[in-house]
């Protein structure tokens, strides 16, 4: 099974300070990167990919995986989800005010909207892990060329099938 190092792992405090005032700085990326690598290693089949292919996938998906993690992280004594409005600040944007350029305000709003919509899916921990694994193994870059594209494609298809089976278990029994 896929471990939940990113979506539900032991690194809940690698980004969160008291009152959420600690912004992500370069020294704080290392635990997030290590958790992402450990998560990737836990995906069955990921280690079968060529090292360069694994590196390309990790580089291309790091911030998406981090965003998914922040979307589902629970903090505090009550184990409550982070306020979606704090997630852009925790990622890298800092405190955006009306004085900031419109593009940053749009990006902040888009991140908040994504977090809210992702949470509405009501995915359990296993499904969240499968989504994260799929995001990690999907390269959206058209410039990405894999040494062994067929292995990457097979892994992607298997992860899609696992996610679909998890979300729609009754339909898989029909096929």
């Amino acid at each position: 099974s896929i471990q939940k190092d990113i979506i539900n792992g032991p690194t809940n405090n690698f980004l969160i300070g008291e009152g959420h005032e600690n912004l992500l700085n370069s020294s704080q990326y290392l635990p997030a990167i290590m958790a992402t690598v450990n998560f990737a290693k836990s995906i069955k089949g990921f280690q079968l990919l060529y090292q360069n292919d694994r590196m390309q996938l990790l580089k291309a998906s790091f911030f998406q995986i981090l965003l998914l993690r922040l979307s589902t992280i629970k903090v505090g004594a009550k184990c409550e989800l982070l306020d979606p409005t704090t997630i852009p600040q925790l990622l890298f944007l800092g405190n955006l005010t009306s004085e900031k350029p419109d593009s940053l305000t749009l990006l902040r709003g888009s991140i908040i909207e994504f977090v809210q919509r992702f949470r509405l899916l009501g995915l359990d921990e296993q499904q969240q892990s499968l989504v994260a694994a799929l995001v990690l193994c999907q390269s959206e870059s058209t410039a990405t060329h894999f040494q062994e594209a067929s292995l990457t494609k097979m892994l992607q298809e298997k992860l899609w099938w696992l996610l679909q089976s998890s979300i729609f278990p009754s339909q898989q029994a029909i096929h």
Side-chain angles (χ1 to χ4, degrees):
S1 72
I2 297 174
Q3 295 176 0
K4 296 148 194 95
D5 287 338
I6 295 297
I7 298 300
N8 230 353
T11 57
N12 284 356
N13 61 357
F14 76 89
L15 296 173
I16 313 303
E18 288 297 316
H20 313 319
E21 71 278 358
N22 294 340
L23 294 178
L24 199 59
N25 64 41
S26 60
S27 68
Q28 290 174 303
Y29 277 110
L30 186 57
I33 292 168
M34 294 305 300
T36 304
V37 170
N38 289 335
F39 174 72
K41 287 179 181 178
S42 73
I43 300 169
K44 289 184 180 181
F46 190 79
Q47 291 296 99
L48 298 175
L49 302 176
Y50 284 95
Q51 183 175 358
N52 287 343
D53 293 350
R54 292 191 310 255
M55 293 302 296
Q56 284 183 42
L57 290 169
L58 283 164
K59 287 179 190 177
S61 65
F62 175 71
F63 278 102
Q64 292 92 333
I65 298 296
L66 186 57
L67 179 57
L68 288 172
R69 175 67 179 116
L70 290 171
S71 298
T72 59
I73 196 169
K74 295 182 180 180
V75 295
K78 296 181 182 178
C79 287
E80 296 176 341
L81 291 170
L82 282 175
D83 178 351
T85 61
T86 64
I87 292 174
Q89 180 180 0
L90 290 170
L91 271 173
F92 54 86
L93 299 177
N95 187 15
L96 298 177
T97 65
S98 59
E99 299 169 12
K100 299 290 181 177
D102 290 339
S103 59
L104 290 180
T105 304
L106 178 62
L107 179 58
R108 181 180 184 278
S110 297
I111 290 170
I112 293 168
E113 184 178 352
F114 170 82
V115 169
Q116 291 169 334
R117 288 179 183 222
F118 184 73
R119 288 177 178 174
L120 282 175
L121 293 173
L123 302 176
D124 63 29
E125 292 175 5
Q126 179 186 17
Q127 293 164 338
Q128 292 170 6
S129 293
L130 286 168
V131 167
L134 191 54
V135 165
L136 193 144
C137 293
Q138 295 279 62
S139 177
E140 295 180 4
S141 171
T142 57
T144 302
H145 299 287
F146 296 111
Q147 284 181 293
E148 186 56 63
S150 62
L151 285 175
T152 306
K153 180 83 170 144
M154 285 183 352
L155 181 57
Q156 293 166 352
E157 289 173 358
K158 182 66 173 178
L159 289 168
W160 270 114
W161 182 85
L162 288 169
L163 181 60
Q164 290 171 345
S165 297
S166 176
I167 294 174
F168 308 110
S170 62
Q171 290 187 0
Q172 294 305 318
I174 296 171
H175 296 347

